[in-house]
Amino acid sequence: AAALAGAGEGQASVLLSHNPDLLPDLPRRVGLVLSGHTHGGQIRLPVVGAPVVPSRYGQRYAMGWVQGAHGTPGYVSRGLGVSGVPLRNLCPPEVTLLSLRPG
């Protein structure tokens, strides 16, 4: 809430958060939330997806475009690195380039 105190209606706002788990608890709408932390689950299996995602919401915020409280859009990057086991399967690393435009 303190980080968003200066953001107002009609102003662009981008919230950077290492962990996407804050998305359901946003105190109000934010223009965009950018996160990482989950590495996309890092090890994904066909049909099943990632057996382990370091998020209390599991697959919900594992990677890609997601939605938080108040309809806030978010993007969770798979990132470049690994965490724990030095392996990736069906979850390639990524560098994301987003182009932001007004309106």
Side-chain angles (χ1 to χ4, degrees), residues 14-100:
V14 177
L15 176 62
L16 304 177
S17 173
H18 177 78
N19 191 327
D21 282 359
L22 65 78
L23 281 160
D25 301 318
L26 292 170
R28 61 187 210 196
R29 183 170 170 79
V30 177
L32 177 64
V33 176
L34 300 175
S35 298
H37 181 68
T38 64
H39 297 273
Q42 195 169 309
I43 299 173
R44 302 184 71 80
L45 304 173
V47 183
V48 177
V52 176
V53 177
S55 166
R56 66 178 181 236
Y57 299 101
Q59 301 279 344
R60 182 176 174 189
Y61 298 125
M63 64 183 177
W65 287 104
V66 296
Q67 189 171 37
H70 314 287
T72 296
Y75 187 80
V76 182
S77 172
R78 291 188 309 265
L80 292 174
V82 294
S83 180
V85 179
L87 174 71
R88 282 185 177 262
N89 185 64
L90 299 176
C91 190
E94 74 174 342
V95 173
T96 305
L97 175 63
L98 301 173
S99 297
L100 304 178

